[in-house]
Amino acid sequence: MKCDILVAGAGLAGCTAARLLAEQGQKVLVLEKRKDIAGNCHDFRDENGITVHRYGPHIFHTNNKAVWDFVNRFTPFLPFQHKVLAYAEGRLIPFPINRDTICDVFGVNIPVTEVRSFLANEVAASTFHVPSQNFRDAVVSQVGERLYDLFFKNYTRKQWDTDPENLSAEVASRIPVRENRDPRYFSDKYQGIPKLGYTGMMANMLDHPGITVMTNADFFELRDGIERTLTVYTGKLDEYFGRRHGELNYRSVRFEFETVDETRHQEVSVVNYPNDYDYTRITEFKHFTGEKSDRTTLCREYPSAEGDPCYIVMTKDNLEKRQRYLADIEQASGKEPSLFLGRLAEYRYYNMDQVIEAVFLKLDGPG
Amino acid sequence: MKCDILVAGAGLAGCTAARLLAEQGQKVLVLEKRKDIAGNCHDFRDENGITVHRYGPHIFHTNNKAVWDFVNRFTPFLPFQHKVLAYAEGRLIPFPINRDTICDVFGVNIPVTEVRSFLANEVAASTFHVPSQNFRDAVVSQVGERLYDLFFKNYTRKQWDTDPENLSAEVASRIPVRENRDPRYFSDKYQGIPKLGYTGMMANMLDHPGITVMTNADFFELRDGIERTLTVYTGKLDEYFGRRHGELNYRSVRFEFETVDETRHQEVSVVNYPNDYDYTRITEFKHFTGEKSDRTTLCREYPSAEGDPCYIVMTKDNLEKRQRYLADIEQASGKEPSLFLGRLAEYRYYNMDQVIEAVFLKLDGPG
């Protein structure tokens, strides 16, 4: 088989790269290991007509107009401003922390102009190390012990299965605190949900005369039989190099879906459960699209060490291995021209817009 | 008749023990005196499609993950966070006492950080003995006279048919007071209502090839004809020994059920009536499950000296008798190997999860 560019992976990085390269006149072959495209953004309509995100809630948000214009070429977007409530002390409280969170938690009534001094007093009354030695110190030094205990301590335990004292301070280098009443989870200029779904959006990205897509197709099995001038690799970084420096760990999530006989289950699309139960959050998908049904589909998330990769694990060990693999890329580029793009191949945390932005940079995209 | 283990009683203790033993390879025979299983947790669907708890409201709550995982093997749980309001001074007030209770009762507006000093002032302005000589002293020394009079004094009179001055201070050794705004009755990590009902859950526990169940079957009538190597007894402690040291008293409740033509009767599942009427509380069952009906089923509880045992009575006399019976168990264990498990057989107050936990401990259960 022959092409100009072989793209391994039909997630957001692979689809964006394939599209840009095809529009630059290249013949692109995309191989996807799974049966479906769109990677962890994959969504589908279930039997109740509700669009379900197979790997947890994805809300598109960006401040980058070039990125926003690019994705809007492939699907219209429903305006959607994401709000999250945290279930704590038996009630639903706005999160991330803003003036209303503080009034609710502390039973006070303060104007937005006093948020900063209120938190400063909370911090002054708390105990922590300076400089921060771990995640707990980093959060407590920003919001004080009571808010840390309520929103961060147990959530972090669930998410990472370890005490916050064992996590590095950098993870919490800046906790978003709003000194106003803005209840939104993101404050980006552009926010929305693709009307055709992420799967529809990416199918349209791949719909170009220069692009051929194969699903259920493993890059490692097929690569030797495919002649090409460049490989765009979006799979796991360590796997490309046969795990020669050891495995790069991921945190995964078990997604438990349930459809219930209620028209509406919760006030907002995502409710976090920092302290209660074993799940970290419940998503009610209907909120994203306004789809109508007598039933509603929910997803509970249970963080787990096993399963599809969701989050990189920022331990010293993993970050050191990552450096060794990145050095291998440099070395290998002479004999096999290749680009490593996206969350898995770069082993870093990216929001969706950051993935696209990174591909633009490497492939001379718009903007 | 022949078995390995004879279990007397198909309540929560008996069902848990039967299941653990059957899974350990034992042949278990369960005898239940009543016509139904599930003991005082028994529930059923009434003619309006509403699940009614025959012996008053039961909400499952635990911090023990092994217990939570165990019960979840036999039924899914509906997430349910129990909230109670107390009807007092003509309005519904959050109970147990938290910051919002104080603001409501006293007509003040204080932050959560001032709850402690506010109560300290209340206590300082009150009259009581130190150390506490009785229930009244114990409560007043924690929350002051006004909150005691409003929420504890008359409720206790209804519940125990005696003045709080006649009850021991230990009963109120720690009154739950929340120095935050948490309106929940329990603060356990795991809380819920069994989707299949407690009866369904326990029927599934007993559904094992190693377990045989007989209802309407009296242990005392049948025991001589049953060959076994061990008896697990979950009935009344004094009855096992022919009441030789005298009767152990129980407080009972008369449950008055009524179905009314309203879709919703009250804001929350349970409203306490500390001061008004003769009942202690009204339960509206539909809240537990979200079951839909044009009608709703209520239960009013009238504490009583006569009837099915509900609560042990912690008088000096009863506790001394209990000690004598427990010594008898030691003595008898030589000639008839037996385990005494659960509320009745141990003559102690247990929440549901504590019953399971105690059985786990004695029978090498999980966790």
Side-chain angles (χ1 to χ4, degrees), chain A residues 87-91 103-109 122 146 158 258 260-262 265 273 275-279 282 300, chain B residues 65 68-69 78-81 83 99 109-113 179-184 187-192 195 292:
Chain A
Y87 184 82
E89 292 182 341
R91 54 195 199 282
C103 292
D104 191 321
V105 169
F106 291 88
V108 296
N109 189 1
E122 272 295 296
R146 189 183 274 257
K158 285 186 192 179
E258 190 189 9
V260 295
D261 279 325
E262 305 171 34
H265 182 73
Y273 285 78
N275 308 311
D276 300 281
Y277 303 108
D278 289 331
Y279 39 82
I282 300 181
R300 295 187 184 83
Chain B
K65 181 163 163 57
W68 181 245
D69 288 342
L78 298 164
F80 182 79
Q81 301 270 333
K83 295 186 186 78
R99 176 264 184 190
N109 189 2
I110 60 167
V112 295
T113 45
E179 293 181 12
N180 57 32
R181 304 184 60 204
D182 193 339
R184 295 174 301 169
S187 46
D188 301 58
K189 177 168 181 183
Y190 306 103
Q191 304 186 32
K195 203 162 175 173
K292 309 261 182 278

Side-chain angles (χ1 to χ4, degrees), chain A residues 159-216:
Chain A
Q159 179 73 24
W160 298 104
D161 195 25
T162 186
D163 280 330
E165 284 83 356
N166 302 328
L167 293 172
S168 86
E170 287 90 65
V171 180
S173 59
R174 210 179 133 259
I175 292 292
V177 172
R178 306 205 198 295
E179 294 180 11
N180 57 30
R181 305 186 61 203
D182 191 339
R184 294 175 302 166
Y185 200 72
F186 305 115
S187 45
D188 302 57
K189 178 168 183 185
Y190 306 102
Q191 304 184 31
I193 298 288
K195 203 165 178 173
L196 307 177
Y198 291 98
T199 307
M201 174 179 95
M202 289 190 229
N204 283 341
M205 288 165 78
L206 296 175
D207 182 14
H208 184 284
I211 301 176
T212 305
V213 184
M214 290 171 67
T215 51
N216 292 313

Side-chain angles (χ1 to χ4, degrees), chain A residues 305-323:
Chain A
E306 306 299 317
D308 289 312
C310 292
Y311 304 100
I312 67 166
V313 182
M314 289 229 269
T315 57
K316 199 160 158 272
D317 184 49
N318 278 325
L319 296 178
E320 280 171 8
K321 281 182 202 154
R322 176 179 185 269
Q323 283 313 112

Side-chain angles (χ1 to χ4, degrees), chain B residues 14-69:
Chain B
C15 290
T16 303
R19 182 74 188 200
L20 290 185
L21 291 163
E23 289 182 357
Q24 289 164 18
Q26 308 285 338
K27 286 285 161 203
V28 182
L29 174 63
V30 181
L31 304 182
E32 169 55 51
K33 192 169 70 170
R34 292 180 179 165
K35 71 174 176 45
D36 296 305
I37 66 161
N40 278 9
C41 303
H42 182 76
D43 52 14
F44 61 92
R45 277 213 154 179
D46 73 5
E47 65 278 16
N48 303 294
I50 296 162
T51 300
V52 168
H53 297 182
R54 173 68 191 78
Y55 303 92
H58 283 71
I59 295 94
F60 200 91
H61 57 98
T62 187
N63 280 316
N64 185 324
K65 181 163 163 57
V67 168
W68 181 245
D69 288 342

Side-chain angles (χ1 to χ4, degrees), chain A residues 42-53:
Chain A
H42 183 76
D43 53 13
F44 61 94
R45 277 212 155 182
D46 72 6
E47 65 278 16
N48 302 294
I50 296 162
T51 300
V52 169
H53 297 182

